[in-house]
């Protein structure tokens, strides 16, 4: 693959025009949309309008006149189109961590009451799951008398015994980019009598997700990664209609009440997924998230009826294939591919480990040296079980094939100049 090939692929790319919907700084190749998505061009004006008009002029009236009150549901309906569920099944609210607390608690209530089986006292998750998910699960398990069992992915489905209440997985692994087969694993969990909780933080807006088709039970996900909702954007929550009205989630705030403005002294949950709201919603942040959701749904008219994620996925796989091929051709022997090669097992990112010195071998400094050259990826530290990782996320909305070429070209130059040895790239920052 040559630079000309990459330019040709960009010229033929039906999604290329979508890049104009974003504000990207000059001279930056942004391969970190899996940590913080890029600013949609529409967001600054929309957020300013919410602040100066809806807040500044409308004041309290805007809860009604600007439809603030049903914003979590309205955004949820947009998000539903990206994860394969119907309108009215999703709300956008709170953080991923907080939403996980709600759904895991509800799922455990469901198992306890549905089966009354005192032997089902285990929650299973992956040791390499994102730490906040494990921390939240640890806390709930401690409170409710469950045991959190951490496994490696290869131990599925054998670990699904009749002691398991809930299988809690992140669909696409944040470190490796490996993707689970949601449908097969959900079926195996159900066959074992367990419920599933899926974290879609690296899936929503990144890969096609079909929650209803998979028969999943509960899902949550993140608004500021591939959905471009802005730093700390509200996250989302989905509960299958067969579960949603059976249990109140534990954070029983007034926005999840059936009639919040009756101001009654006792909690009565709203019907449907609205009960997963807690307190007053962050309207300015939700406005930013709406711009992000619209930036993804802008691919829909280009998809010929197949849905935005179908066309985005095609380009995402072509981008990650090209990046893998170019790294292997132009940096031979330097890196080991951590992300699975098989399309069905890969999210929208590529992770590399150093072939030599897998931990403490300079991966952090290489990422810093690349950032100084305008190629923004990130670093995730390894340990005794996992190597240090250079992580590159590919968002097909605004990344093109020439970007892939240029990113690898910068990598080649960085390696040739041995820039990772420079002290300035070896100082650890607070956020990696
Ligand atoms: C990014 C991410 C989160 C983030 O949770 P916050 O509550 O937004 O900090 C949670 N889980 C996974 C799997 C993630 O990738």
């Amino acid at each position: 693959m040559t630079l000309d090939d990459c330019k040709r692929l960009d010229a033929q790319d039906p999604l290329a025009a979508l890049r104009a919907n974003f504000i990207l700084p000059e001279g930056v190749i942004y391969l970190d949309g899996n940590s913080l998505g890029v600013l949609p061009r529409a967001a600054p004006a929309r957020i300013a309008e919410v602040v100066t008009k809806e807040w500044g002029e409308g004041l309290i009236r805007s809860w009604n006149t600007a439809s603030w009150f049903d914003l979590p549901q309205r955004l949820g309906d947009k998000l539903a189109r990206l994860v394969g569920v119907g309108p009215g099944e999703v709300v956008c609210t709170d953080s991923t961590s907080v939403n996980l607390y709600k759904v895991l608690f509800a799922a455990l209530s469901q198992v306890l009451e549905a089966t009354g089986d005192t032997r089902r006292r285990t929650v299973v998750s992956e040791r390499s799951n994102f730490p906040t998910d494990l921390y939240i699960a640890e806390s709930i398990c401690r409170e409710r008398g469950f045991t959190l069992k951490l496994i490696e992915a290869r131990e599925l489905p054998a670990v699904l015994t009749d002691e398991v209440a809930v299988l809690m997985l992140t669909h696409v692994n944040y470190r490796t980019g490996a993707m689970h087969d949601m449908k097969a694993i959900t079926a195996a969990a159900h066959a074992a009598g367990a419920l599933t909780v899926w974290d879609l933080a690296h899936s929503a807006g990144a890969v096609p997700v079909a929650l209803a088709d998979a028969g999943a039970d509960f899902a949550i996900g993140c608004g500021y990664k591939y959905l471009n909702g802005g730093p700390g954007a509200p996250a989302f929550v989905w509960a299958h209609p067969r579960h949603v009205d059976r249990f109140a989630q534990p954070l029983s705030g007034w926005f999840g009440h059936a009639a919040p403005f009756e101001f009654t002294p006792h909690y009565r949950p709203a019907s449907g997924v609205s009960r997963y709201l807690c307190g007053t919603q962050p309207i300015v942040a939700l406005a930013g998230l709406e711009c992000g959701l619209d930036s993804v749904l802008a691919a829909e008219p280009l998809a010929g009826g197949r849905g935005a994620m179908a066309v985005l996925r095609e380009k995402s796989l072509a981008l990650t294939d090209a990046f893998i091929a170019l790294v292997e051709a132009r940096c031979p022997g330097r890196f080991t591919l951590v992300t699975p090669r098989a399309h069905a097992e890969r999210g929208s990112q590529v992770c590399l480990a150093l072939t030599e010195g897998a931990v403490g071998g300079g991966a952090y400094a290489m990422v810093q040296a690349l950032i100084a050259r305008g190629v923004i990826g990130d670093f995730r530290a390894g340990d005794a079980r996992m190597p240090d990782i250079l992580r590159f996320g590919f968002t097909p909305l605004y990344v093109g094939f020439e970007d892939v070429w240029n990113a690898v070209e910068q990598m080649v130059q960085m390696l040739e100049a041995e820039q990772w040895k420079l002290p300035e790239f070896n100082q650890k920052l607070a956020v990696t």
Side-chain angles (χ1 to χ4, degrees), residues 143-203:
E143 265 175 71
R144 304 202 71 191
F146 285 77
T147 304
L148 178 62
K149 179 173 179 160
L150 300 184
I151 60 153
E152 307 296 325
R154 61 173 179 276
E155 296 176 69
L156 287 169
V159 291
L160 297 171
T161 63
D162 61 4
E163 293 174 4
V164 178
V166 170
L167 174 62
M168 179 191 91
L169 291 177
T170 295
H171 181 224
V172 174
N173 187 284
Y174 81 104
R175 279 183 58 91
T176 64
M179 181 166 68
H180 285 297
D181 182 339
M182 181 185 285
K183 192 169 185 170
I185 291 177
T186 299
H190 288 173
L195 295 179
T196 53
V197 170
W198 290 97
D199 188 331
L200 304 179
H202 288 269
S203 306

Coordinates of all heavy atoms in Angstrom, one line a residue, residues 143-203:
E143 N -22.0 -5.1 49.1 CA -23.3 -4.7 49.7 C -24.3 -5.8 49.7 O -25.1 -5.9 50.7 CB -23.9 -3.5 48.9 CG -23.6 -2.2 49.3 CD -24.2 -1.2 48.3 OE1 -25.4 -1.1 48.3 OE2 -23.4 -0.6 47.5
R144 N -24.4 -6.5 48.6 CA -25.5 -7.4 48.5 C -25.2 -8.9 48.7 O -26.0 -9.8 48.4 CB -26.2 -7.2 47.1 CG -26.5 -5.8 46.8 CD -27.6 -5.6 45.8 NE -28.9 -6.1 46.2 CZ -29.9 -6.3 45.4 NH1 -29.8 -6.0 44.1 NH2 -31.1 -6.7 45.8
G145 N -23.9 -9.2 49.1 CA -23.6 -10.5 49.4 C -23.3 -11.4 48.2 O -23.6 -12.6 48.3
F146 N -22.8 -10.8 47.1 CA -22.4 -11.6 46.0 C -20.9 -11.7 45.9 O -20.2 -10.9 46.6 CB -22.9 -11.0 44.7 CG -24.4 -11.2 44.5 CD1 -25.3 -10.5 45.2 CD2 -24.8 -12.2 43.6 CE1 -26.7 -10.7 45.0 CE2 -26.2 -12.4 43.3 CZ -27.1 -11.6 44.0
T147 N -20.3 -12.6 45.1 CA -18.9 -12.7 44.9 C -18.6 -12.3 43.5 O -19.3 -12.7 42.5 CB -18.4 -14.1 45.1 OG1 -18.8 -14.5 46.4 CG2 -16.9 -14.2 44.9
L148 N -17.6 -11.4 43.3 CA -17.2 -11.0 41.9 C -16.1 -11.9 41.5 O -15.0 -12.0 42.1 CB -16.7 -9.6 41.9 CG -16.2 -9.0 40.6 CD1 -17.3 -9.1 39.5 CD2 -15.7 -7.6 40.7
K149 N -16.3 -12.7 40.4 CA -15.3 -13.6 39.9 C -14.7 -13.0 38.6 O -15.5 -12.8 37.7 CB -16.0 -15.0 39.7 CG -15.1 -16.0 39.1 CD -15.7 -17.4 39.1 CE -14.8 -18.4 38.5 NZ -15.1 -19.7 38.8
L150 N -13.4 -12.9 38.6 CA -12.8 -12.3 37.4 C -12.1 -13.4 36.6 O -11.4 -14.2 37.2 CB -11.7 -11.2 37.8 CG -12.3 -10.1 38.6 CD1 -11.2 -9.0 38.9 CD2 -13.5 -9.4 37.8
I151 N -12.4 -13.4 35.3 CA -11.9 -14.5 34.4 C -11.2 -13.9 33.2 O -11.2 -12.7 33.0 CB -13.1 -15.3 33.9 CG1 -14.1 -14.4 33.1 CG2 -13.8 -16.0 35.1 CD1 -14.9 -15.1 32.1
E152 N -10.6 -14.8 32.5 CA -10.0 -14.4 31.1 C -11.1 -14.8 30.1 O -11.9 -15.7 30.3 CB -8.8 -15.2 30.8 CG -7.7 -15.2 31.9 CD -7.1 -13.8 32.1 OE1 -7.0 -13.0 31.1 OE2 -6.8 -13.4 33.2
A153 N -11.1 -14.1 29.0 CA -12.2 -14.3 28.0 C -12.2 -15.8 27.5 O -13.3 -16.3 27.3 CB -12.0 -13.4 26.8
R154 N -11.1 -16.4 27.5 CA -11.1 -17.8 27.0 C -11.8 -18.8 27.9 O -12.1 -19.9 27.5 CB -9.6 -18.3 26.7 CG -8.8 -18.3 27.9 CD -7.4 -18.9 27.7 NE -6.6 -18.8 28.9 CZ -6.0 -17.8 29.4 NH1 -5.9 -16.7 28.6 NH2 -5.3 -17.8 30.5
E155 N -12.1 -18.4 29.1 CA -12.8 -19.2 30.1 C -14.3 -19.3 29.9 O -15.0 -20.0 30.5 CB -12.5 -18.8 31.5 CG -11.0 -19.0 31.9 CD -10.7 -18.5 33.3 OE1 -11.2 -19.1 34.3 OE2 -10.0 -17.4 33.4
L156 N -14.8 -18.4 28.9 CA -16.2 -18.4 28.6 C -16.4 -19.5 27.5 O -15.5 -19.6 26.6 CB -16.6 -17.1 28.0 CG -16.8 -15.9 29.0 CD1 -16.9 -14.6 28.3 CD2 -18.0 -16.2 29.9
P157 N -17.5 -20.2 27.5 CA -18.6 -20.1 28.4 C -18.5 -21.1 29.6 O -19.4 -21.2 30.4 CB -19.8 -20.6 27.6 CG -19.2 -21.6 26.6 CD -17.7 -21.1 26.4
A158 N -17.3 -21.8 29.8 CA -17.2 -22.8 30.8 C -17.5 -22.3 32.2 O -18.0 -23.1 33.0 CB -15.8 -23.5 30.7
V159 N -17.2 -21.1 32.5 CA -17.4 -20.5 33.8 C -18.8 -20.3 34.2 O -19.1 -20.0 35.3 CB -16.6 -19.2 34.1 CG1 -15.1 -19.4 34.1 CG2 -17.0 -18.2 33.0
L160 N -19.7 -20.4 33.2 CA -21.1 -20.1 33.4 C -21.8 -21.3 34.1 O -22.5 -22.0 33.4 CB -21.8 -19.7 32.1 CG -21.2 -18.4 31.5 CD1 -21.7 -18.2 30.1 CD2 -21.5 -17.2 32.4
T161 N -21.6 -21.4 35.4 CA -22.2 -22.5 36.1 C -23.6 -22.0 36.7 O -24.0 -20.9 36.5 CB -21.3 -22.9 37.3 OG1 -21.2 -21.8 38.2 CG2 -19.9 -23.3 36.8
D162 N -24.2 -22.9 37.4 CA -25.5 -22.5 38.0 C -25.3 -21.7 39.3 O -26.3 -21.4 40.0 CB -26.4 -23.7 38.3 CG -25.7 -24.7 39.3 OD1 -24.6 -24.4 39.8 OD2 -26.3 -25.8 39.5
E163 N -24.1 -21.2 39.5 CA -23.9 -20.3 40.6 C -23.8 -18.8 40.1 O -23.8 -17.9 40.9 CB -22.5 -20.6 41.3 CG -22.6 -21.9 42.1 CD -21.3 -22.3 42.7 OE1 -20.3 -21.5 42.6 OE2 -21.2 -23.4 43.2
V164 N -23.8 -18.7 38.8 CA -23.7 -17.3 38.2 C -25.0 -16.6 38.1 O -25.9 -17.1 37.5 CB -23.0 -17.4 36.9 CG1 -22.8 -16.0 36.3 CG2 -21.6 -18.0 37.0
A165 N -25.1 -15.4 38.7 CA -26.3 -14.6 38.6 C -26.2 -13.7 37.4 O -27.2 -13.6 36.6 CB -26.5 -13.8 39.9
V166 N -25.1 -13.0 37.2 CA -25.0 -12.0 36.1 C -23.6 -12.1 35.5 O -22.6 -12.3 36.2 CB -25.2 -10.6 36.7 CG1 -24.8 -9.5 35.6 CG2 -26.6 -10.4 37.1
L167 N -23.6 -12.1 34.2 CA -22.3 -12.0 33.4 C -22.2 -10.5 33.0 O -23.1 -10.0 32.2 CB -22.4 -12.9 32.2 CG -21.2 -12.8 31.3 CD1 -19.9 -13.2 31.9 CD2 -21.4 -13.7 30.0
M168 N -21.2 -9.8 33.4 CA -21.1 -8.4 33.1 C -19.8 -8.2 32.3 O -18.7 -8.4 32.7 CB -20.9 -7.7 34.5 CG -20.7 -6.2 34.3 SD -20.2 -5.4 35.9 CE -18.4 -5.5 35.8
L169 N -20.0 -7.9 31.0 CA -18.9 -7.8 30.1 C -18.9 -6.4 29.4 O -19.9 -5.9 29.1 CB -19.0 -8.9 29.0 CG -18.7 -10.3 29.5 CD1 -18.9 -11.3 28.3 CD2 -17.3 -10.5 30.1
T170 N -17.7 -6.0 29.0 CA -17.6 -4.9 28.1 C -17.4 -5.5 26.7 O -16.6 -6.4 26.5 CB -16.4 -4.0 28.5 OG1 -16.7 -3.4 29.7 CG2 -16.2 -2.9 27.4
H171 N -18.3 -5.1 25.8 CA -18.4 -5.7 24.4 C -17.1 -5.6 23.7 O -16.6 -6.6 23.1 CB -19.5 -5.0 23.7 CG -19.8 -5.5 22.3 ND1 -20.0 -4.6 21.3 CD2 -19.9 -6.7 21.8 CE1 -20.2 -5.4 20.2 NE2 -20.2 -6.6 20.5
V172 N -16.5 -4.4 23.6 CA -15.2 -4.2 23.0 C -14.2 -3.8 24.1 O -14.4 -2.8 24.8 CB -15.2 -3.1 21.9 CG1 -13.8 -2.9 21.4 CG2 -16.1 -3.6 20.8
N173 N -13.1 -4.6 24.3 CA -12.2 -4.4 25.4 C -11.4 -3.1 25.2 O -10.9 -2.8 24.1 CB -11.2 -5.6 25.4 CG -10.3 -5.5 26.6 OD1 -9.4 -4.7 26.7 ND2 -10.6 -6.3 27.6
Y174 N -11.3 -2.3 26.2 CA -10.7 -0.9 26.1 C -9.2 -1.0 25.8 O -8.7 -0.1 25.2 CB -11.0 -0.1 27.3 CG -10.1 -0.3 28.5 CD1 -9.0 0.5 28.8 CD2 -10.2 -1.5 29.3 CE1 -8.2 0.3 29.9 CE2 -9.4 -1.7 30.3 CZ -8.4 -0.8 30.6 OH -7.5 -1.1 31.6
R175 N -8.6 -2.1 26.3 CA -7.1 -2.2 26.1 C -6.7 -2.8 24.8 O -5.8 -2.4 24.1 CB -6.5 -3.1 27.2 CG -6.3 -2.4 28.5 CD -5.6 -3.4 29.5 NE -4.4 -3.9 28.9 CZ -3.2 -3.4 29.2 NH1 -3.1 -2.3 30.0 NH2 -2.1 -3.8 28.6
T176 N -7.5 -3.9 24.5 CA -7.0 -4.7 23.3 C -7.8 -4.4 22.1 O -7.4 -4.8 21.0 CB -7.1 -6.2 23.7 OG1 -8.5 -6.5 23.8 CG2 -6.3 -6.5 24.9
G177 N -9.0 -3.9 22.2 CA -9.9 -3.7 21.0 C -10.5 -5.0 20.6 O -11.2 -5.1 19.6
A178 N -10.4 -6.1 21.4 CA -11.0 -7.4 21.1 C -12.5 -7.2 21.4 O -13.0 -6.7 22.4 CB -10.5 -8.5 22.0
M179 N -13.3 -7.8 20.4 CA -14.8 -7.7 20.5 C -15.4 -9.1 20.8 O -15.1 -10.1 20.2 CB -15.4 -7.1 19.2 CG -16.9 -7.0 19.2 SD -17.5 -5.9 17.9 CE -17.1 -6.9 16.5
H180 N -16.3 -9.1 21.8 CA -17.1 -10.4 22.1 C -18.2 -10.6 21.1 O -18.7 -9.6 20.5 CB -17.7 -10.3 23.4 CG -16.7 -10.4 24.6 ND1 -16.0 -11.6 24.8 CD2 -16.4 -9.6 25.6 CE1 -15.3 -11.4 25.9 NE2 -15.5 -10.2 26.3
D181 N -18.6 -11.8 20.9 CA -19.8 -12.2 20.1 C -21.0 -12.1 21.1 O -21.2 -13.0 21.9 CB -19.6 -13.6 19.6 CG -20.8 -14.1 18.7 OD1 -21.9 -13.5 18.9 OD2 -20.7 -15.0 17.9
M182 N -21.6 -10.9 21.0 CA -22.7 -10.6 22.0 C -23.8 -11.7 22.0 O -24.3 -12.1 23.0 CB -23.2 -9.2 21.8 CG -24.3 -8.8 22.8 SD -25.0 -7.2 22.4 CE -23.7 -6.1 22.9
K183 N -24.2 -12.1 20.8 CA -25.3 -12.9 20.7 C -25.0 -14.3 21.2 O -25.8 -14.9 22.0 CB -25.7 -13.0 19.2 CG -27.1 -13.7 19.0 CD -27.6 -13.5 17.5 CE -29.0 -14.1 17.4 NZ -29.6 -13.7 16.1
A184 N -23.8 -14.9 20.9 CA -23.5 -16.2 21.3 C -23.3 -16.2 22.8 O -23.7 -17.2 23.5 CB -22.2 -16.7 20.6
I185 N -22.6 -15.2 23.3 CA -22.3 -15.2 24.8 C -23.6 -15.0 25.6 O -23.8 -15.6 26.6 CB -21.3 -14.1 25.1 CG1 -19.9 -14.6 24.5 CG2 -21.2 -13.9 26.6 CD1 -18.8 -13.6 24.7
T186 N -24.5 -14.1 25.1 CA -25.8 -13.9 25.8 C -26.6 -15.2 25.8 O -27.1 -15.6 26.8 CB -26.6 -12.8 25.1 OG1 -25.8 -11.6 25.1 CG2 -27.9 -12.6 25.7
A187 N -26.6 -15.9 24.7 CA -27.3 -17.2 24.6 C -26.7 -18.2 25.6 O -27.4 -18.9 26.3 CB -27.3 -17.8 23.2
A188 N -25.4 -18.2 25.7 CA -24.7 -19.2 26.7 C -25.1 -18.8 28.1 O -25.3 -19.7 28.9 CB -23.2 -19.2 26.4
A189 N -25.1 -17.5 28.4 CA -25.4 -17.0 29.7 C -26.9 -17.4 30.1 O -27.1 -17.9 31.2 CB -25.2 -15.5 29.9
H190 N -27.8 -17.2 29.1 CA -29.2 -17.5 29.4 C -29.4 -19.0 29.6 O -30.1 -19.4 30.5 CB -30.0 -17.0 28.3 CG -30.2 -15.5 28.3 ND1 -30.8 -14.8 27.3 CD2 -29.8 -14.5 29.2 CE1 -30.8 -13.5 27.5 NE2 -30.1 -13.3 28.7
A191 N -28.6 -19.8 28.8 CA -28.7 -21.2 28.9 C -28.3 -21.7 30.3 O -28.8 -22.7 30.8 CB -27.9 -21.9 27.8
A192 N -27.4 -20.9 30.9 CA -26.9 -21.2 32.3 C -27.8 -20.6 33.3 O -27.5 -20.7 34.5 CB -25.4 -20.8 32.4
G193 N -28.8 -19.8 32.9 CA -29.7 -19.2 33.9 C -29.2 -17.9 34.4 O -29.7 -17.3 35.4
A194 N -28.2 -17.3 33.7 CA -27.7 -16.0 34.2 C -28.2 -14.8 33.3 O -28.6 -15.1 32.1 CB -26.1 -16.0 34.1
L195 N -28.1 -13.6 33.8 CA -28.5 -12.4 33.0 C -27.2 -11.8 32.5 O -26.1 -12.0 33.1 CB -29.3 -11.4 33.8 CG -30.7 -11.9 34.3 CD1 -31.3 -10.8 35.1 CD2 -31.6 -12.3 33.1
T196 N -27.3 -10.9 31.5 CA -26.1 -10.2 30.9 C -26.3 -8.7 31.1 O -27.3 -8.2 30.9 CB -26.0 -10.5 29.4 OG1 -27.2 -10.2 28.8 CG2 -25.6 -12.0 29.2
V197 N -25.1 -8.1 31.5 CA -25.0 -6.7 31.5 C -23.9 -6.3 30.5 O -22.7 -6.8 30.8 CB -24.7 -6.1 32.9 CG1 -24.3 -4.7 32.8 CG2 -25.9 -6.4 33.8
W198 N -24.1 -5.6 29.5 CA -23.1 -5.2 28.5 C -22.7 -3.8 28.6 O -23.6 -2.9 28.6 CB -23.6 -5.5 27.1 CG -23.8 -6.9 26.8 CD1 -24.9 -7.7 26.8 CD2 -22.8 -7.8 26.3 NE1 -24.7 -9.0 26.5 CE2 -23.3 -9.1 26.2 CE3 -21.4 -7.7 26.1 CZ2 -22.6 -10.2 25.8 CZ3 -20.7 -8.8 25.7 CH2 -21.3 -10.1 25.5
D199 N -21.4 -3.5 28.7 CA -20.9 -2.1 28.6 C -20.5 -1.9 27.2 O -19.7 -2.6 26.6 CB -19.7 -2.0 29.6 CG -19.3 -0.5 29.7 OD1 -19.5 0.2 28.7 OD2 -18.7 -0.1 30.7
L200 N -21.1 -0.8 26.6 CA -20.9 -0.5 25.2 C -20.1 0.7 25.0 O -20.1 1.4 23.9 CB -22.3 -0.3 24.5 CG -23.3 -1.5 24.6 CD1 -24.6 -1.1 23.9 CD2 -22.7 -2.7 24.0
A201 N -19.2 1.0 26.0 CA -18.4 2.3 25.9 C -17.6 2.3 24.6 O -17.4 3.4 24.1 CB -17.5 2.4 27.1
H202 N -17.0 1.2 24.2 CA -16.2 1.2 23.0 C -16.9 0.6 21.8 O -16.3 0.2 20.8 CB -14.9 0.5 23.3 CG -14.0 1.3 24.1 ND1 -13.0 2.1 23.6 CD2 -13.9 1.4 25.5 CE1 -12.4 2.7 24.7 NE2 -12.9 2.3 25.8
S203 N -18.3 0.5 21.9 CA -19.1 0.0 20.8 C -20.0 1.0 20.2 O -20.2 1.0 19.0 CB -19.9 -1.2 21.4 OG -19.0 -2.2 22.0

